[in-house]
Amino acid sequence: GIGQFSMMCAKNNFDITYFDLDGVIKKYALWRFNKHNCNVKIVSDFPLNEKWDLVNVMDVLEHLENPDEVISLLNQNAKYIFCNPDQIPYNLIYPQHISKFDITKSFELVDGFLWKNKNLD
């Protein structure tokens, strides 16, 4: 996305890695990081096989053809995720939402949009 979450985390001294597909939105996020002097690591391929404390996949999985592959990798490598599966509308107004997904097999809701991995501590 536009990097708001990444900026907030970076301003609070978290180590942040940002990934998005190339395009106008990513260019805008990079411009914002530079403008606000945010120390954010930018990657062109998302390293899902690395271990992560938290991965923000808010408004992401519903746009993937096979979200279960990513959920499986997150299950192996992310202690927590931010995700909003119950807020995703699926109807004619949102044709970009191409897949429904279920993260409850791997993650349990902590509060709000924060989910804890059932398999990693």
Side-chain angles (χ1 to χ4, degrees), residues 1-2 18 20-32:
I2 63 170
Y18 172 87
D20 202 347
L21 300 175
D22 289 335
V24 174
I25 293 172
K26 181 177 181 178
K27 286 180 185 177
Y28 178 62
L30 300 180
W31 174 82
R32 294 179 79 212

Side-chain angles (χ1 to χ4, degrees), residues 1-11 16 18-20 25-33 36 38 40 42 56:
I2 63 170
Q4 184 65 31
F5 183 79
S6 297
M7 285 179 43
M8 291 185 327
C9 291
K11 291 288 184 181
I16 302 301
Y18 172 87
F19 168 77
D20 202 347
I25 293 172
K26 181 177 181 178
K27 286 180 185 177
Y28 178 62
L30 300 180
W31 174 82
R32 294 179 79 212
F33 298 153
H36 296 282
C38 293
V40 176
I42 311 300
N56 183 356

Side-chain angles (χ1 to χ4, degrees), residues 16-107:
I16 302 301
T17 301
Y18 172 87
F19 168 77
D20 202 347
L21 300 175
D22 289 335
V24 174
I25 293 172
K26 181 177 181 178
K27 286 180 185 177
Y28 178 62
L30 300 180
W31 174 82
R32 294 179 79 212
F33 298 153
N34 187 50
K35 178 182 178 187
H36 296 282
N37 284 330
C38 293
N39 185 18
V40 176
K41 178 182 174 184
I42 311 300
V43 295
S44 56
D45 292 313
F46 192 79
L48 277 173
N49 291 324
E50 289 186 28
K51 299 295 182 195
W52 298 96
D53 291 325
L54 177 103
V55 176
N56 183 356
V57 288
M58 185 78 76
D59 300 321
V60 171
L61 299 173
E62 66 275 12
H63 299 282
L64 303 177
E65 194 170 326
N66 189 354
D68 291 336
E69 290 177 7
V70 173
I71 293 168
S72 176
L73 289 170
L74 291 168
N75 183 40
Q76 295 170 38
N77 297 303
K79 292 180 185 177
Y80 292 89
I81 62 172
F82 274 124
C83 192
N84 58 340
D86 296 331
Q87 286 70 37
I88 306 300
Y90 294 94
N91 58 45
L92 291 175
I93 298 171
Y94 298 93
Q96 70 274 26
H97 297 169
I98 61 172
S99 61
K100 292 190 180 202
F101 59 93
D102 180 9
I103 59 173
T104 60
K105 296 172 193 163
S106 303
F107 294 88

